[in-house]
Amino acid sequence: MSPLQDPIPHPRPRRRAAYAAIAAGAVLVASALPSAAAPASPTAPLASSSTPTSASLTPSAAADVSLAAVPADDWLHTDGSTIVDAAGDEVWLTGANWFGFNASERVFHGLWSGNLEAITRSMAERGINIVRVPVSTELLLEWRDGETVASPNVNTFVNLELVGMDNKEIFDHWLSLCEKYGLKVMIDLHSATADNSGHVYPLWTHGGFTVEDFYAGWEWFAQEYADDDTIVAADLKNEPHGSQSETLRAKWDGSSDADNWRYVAEQAAARILAINPHLLILVEGVQVYPKAGRSWADRGLDDFHNTWWGGNLRGAADHPVDLGAHQDQLVYSPHDYGPLVSPQPWFEGDDWDRASLEAEVWDPNWLYLWKQGTAPLLVGEWGGFLDGGKNEKWMRALRDMMVDYRISHTFWCLNPNSGDTGGLLDHDWTTWDEAKYDLLEPSLWKEGGKFVSLDHQVPLGGAGSTTGRSLGDLYGDGGTTPVPDTQAPTVPGTPSAADVTSSGVTLTWAASTDDRAVTAYDVYRNDATAATKVATTSAPNATLTGLSAATTYSFTVRARDAAGNVSPASGARTVTTSAGPVTPTGRCAVTSSTNGWGTGYTGTLNVTSTGSTTRTGWTLTFTLPPGQQVTNGWSGTFSQSGTTVTVVNAPWNGTLAPGATVEVGFTANGTGAGPSGFALDGQACSTS
């Protein structure tokens, strides 16, 4: 156990005069929205279809709360794998991302339509206790040098209180709103340049901005907000990445090389903590890490463990981040996404679940750091579209794991204009996507039926909130734990069965209730001597696959809450699967060609399905001569084990009708003969 930090002796700072002005009274609202003469956003409508009322925009009065036995400031640090406050009490950071300041607009997206205070208040009232705000090195250095955007893309008819403010003044004003509503802030340096695709560049240097600029931007920011405990965390760099074959890539090792992210992160953290030693320092992972016996000099696909940008923290086992005397400010921060963002190999087939993801993906890449007590984790980005299928299945699996282990996280994202994930808000920037929020809500920190703020004085939602409470309220004596949750959920209803096939069934049951919240349902298959868990879901239904044809099964359901309390089993439902026809997979034909150079070649494969049924997903395998290694591939996801190469379809070419042809290509090192021994979905193909 690390020693507890003493509470900071000075009173917690209040925001600037703008905060006092906000609290003083109502905000006037124009009777009509602006005409087309106002600046428009290319990705969202200029304004919502109706004018917000004064009641929806007027701030509520903010009362100072005086609690004697709690810390005066809200700075956080770590204790093993837990994030704690100055009194040593555990906190759980559960929030969301809101981007825009990192992009070319240099201000929150959505202010072209929504009201800044209304959006902020709604986040707090719905249980988001921290907001991750992406920025850029370019923006920070502009602010340092007094260069601001005088008239940012803001609908001032909807945001009258922002009239005359430049983009930095809007940011500072927003911080005062966060304090008012009990929200905390994490700053994420998303990219070097202030543009909408700056995050695509793999490193922290780009567009003329050097590593010294990267450090200088952080130093200025740490100094500018050194006394403001609304900002409690610094995510040093978003998604350092680069694949095994790219010349420019972020690596992780024990060197002081310019592309070694671990080294650069330590240098940046040292400069920040020398100014403000109370900030949590978040360090993300990279993309690839060499397998045992391999090095960063290797280039083959099979030489590296590959995962999401920023999601590979395998290197922290051999080369941990060292913050010296401030080691208790370190939080590792992976990112994780689902198959709609990219169809990773672990999403192939239908037999993956939370257990397989945890064992095969999360544990080896980053979850081991939490399980071993090395440091806390905060999953900085996760989220996506609700597709009713694999993507939603992944979201629920990750959410349930984070709830069970109390892993901190910030959901991607609030913005509806995030192209590959969507957002928590609809495009009017006022209405919430209730289905997506329902998925997120069980992972937001709630005790005693109310969401918990990271502020000791201000409840989440502000003074008089009916949905939130403060840390001071939760830990009223400054050192005890919350009242334990010992009440189990009620028994779920006996499941009903529908859509029974030869290999699957959909079960539905009446939902359980709980004094706090039901977080999950576990579905069990009951045999003569044991009950085996076969599915976990947050909704009162589950679709089971992989069953045997013409077989009788018995299923029951148990409900559980975040504290691990489990209900008794429901009544049993007996299901007999049908015999079902066996559908032939058909055959295939492959035409291959190669185009070589001195040390390698490009291969082109035209794969034709010659069977009688349409494929809705396919896997091609082939063999390369010994010594040849695939270095890049397209129109599919490539992997190689020894001389065998496996190609899984891309999202856009997975449907292959009888007689249809799909073309895939790759580059490989080595000379001589090219690929051979082709098979599609396990059946040998004819070649020409």
Side-chain angles (χ1 to χ4, degrees), residues 624-629 643 669-670:
L624 291 181
Q628 290 190 10
Q629 183 73 43
T643 60
N669 57 26

Side-chain angles (χ1 to χ4, degrees), residues 192-484:
T193 55
D195 62 72
N196 297 58
S197 58
H199 64 286
V200 174
Y201 194 79
L203 302 184
W204 40 91
T205 57
H206 182 50
F209 293 98
T210 67
V211 68
E212 285 301 323
D213 291 327
F214 171 72
Y215 296 147
W218 270 123
E219 286 180 305
W220 172 83
F221 189 88
Q223 186 63 60
E224 178 73 359
Y225 297 100
D227 296 324
D228 191 344
D229 66 345
T230 302
I231 301 173
V232 296
D235 187 344
L236 297 182
K237 174 64 180 74
N238 177 73
E239 297 181 351
H241 64 275
S243 70
Q244 83 291 336
S245 61
E246 292 177 289
T247 301
L248 196 65
R249 64 182 176 188
K251 69 177 183 179
W252 189 301
D253 62 15
S255 73
S256 57
D257 294 343
D259 61 350
N260 177 18
W261 169 234
R262 179 207 55 79
Y263 173 77
V264 172
E266 288 179 350
Q267 302 307 302
R271 299 193 186 200
I272 292 169
L273 293 169
I275 298 168
N276 184 354
H278 308 297
L279 280 176
L280 291 178
I281 299 296
L282 274 70
V283 179
E284 299 186 26
V286 291
Q287 179 183 347
V288 296
Y289 191 72
K291 293 181 178 179
R294 303 294 187 178
S295 74
W296 289 99
D298 294 309
R299 292 292 177 177
L301 276 173
D302 200 43
D303 296 328
F304 288 84
H305 299 286
N306 183 64
T307 186
W308 302 104
W309 292 0
N312 197 326
L313 281 160
R314 292 172 185 260
D318 301 320
H319 309 285
V321 172
D322 183 2
L323 301 188
H326 301 297
Q327 194 67 18
D328 64 351
Q329 298 303 124
L330 174 64
V331 177
Y332 288 107
S333 184
H335 290 183
D336 201 80
Y337 279 107
L340 286 186
V341 172
S342 180
Q344 301 284 4
W346 48 87
F347 294 126
E348 295 175 12
D350 295 317
D351 58 348
W352 58 271
D353 55 15
R354 169 186 163 176
S356 66
L357 291 174
E358 185 169 336
E360 299 168 16
V361 183
W362 302 331
D363 272 351
N365 280 305
W366 45 268
L367 189 55
Y368 75 94
L369 292 163
W370 180 86
K371 289 186 175 181
Q372 295 174 4
T374 302
L377 294 170
L378 186 149
V379 180
E381 290 185 17
W382 70 286
F385 291 108
L386 302 185
D387 62 345
K390 287 187 174 183
N391 206 65
E392 192 169 337
K393 175 182 175 181
W394 160 80
M395 290 174 73
R396 295 184 187 280
L398 180 63
R399 179 205 61 192
D400 291 345
M401 182 275 292
M402 294 190 298
V403 168
D404 287 347
Y405 299 153
R406 289 175 73 86
I407 303 293
S408 293
H409 61 89
T410 47
F411 188 82
W412 188 272
C413 58
L414 188 72
N415 301 55
N417 57 326
S418 179
D420 53 4
T421 65
L424 289 167
L425 291 180
D426 291 336
H427 282 280
D428 62 2
W429 288 87
T430 300
T431 307
W432 283 68
D433 182 331
E434 297 296 348
K436 185 174 287 190
Y437 175 73
D438 285 346
L439 186 145
L440 172 65
E441 192 271 341
S443 67
L444 302 176
W445 190 15
K446 182 182 283 187
E447 299 284 354
K450 290 188 176 183
F451 299 112
V452 184
S453 170
L454 300 173
D455 192 299
H456 288 86
Q457 284 75 35
V458 183
L460 198 55
S465 172
T466 60
T467 60
R469 61 193 304 189
S470 68
L471 275 180
D473 175 48
L474 181 65
Y475 296 117
D477 63 358
T480 62
T481 57
V483 176

Side-chain angles (χ1 to χ4, degrees), residues 651-665:
W652 49 268
N653 64 5
T655 301
L656 196 58
T661 298
V662 62
E663 180 179 287
V664 299

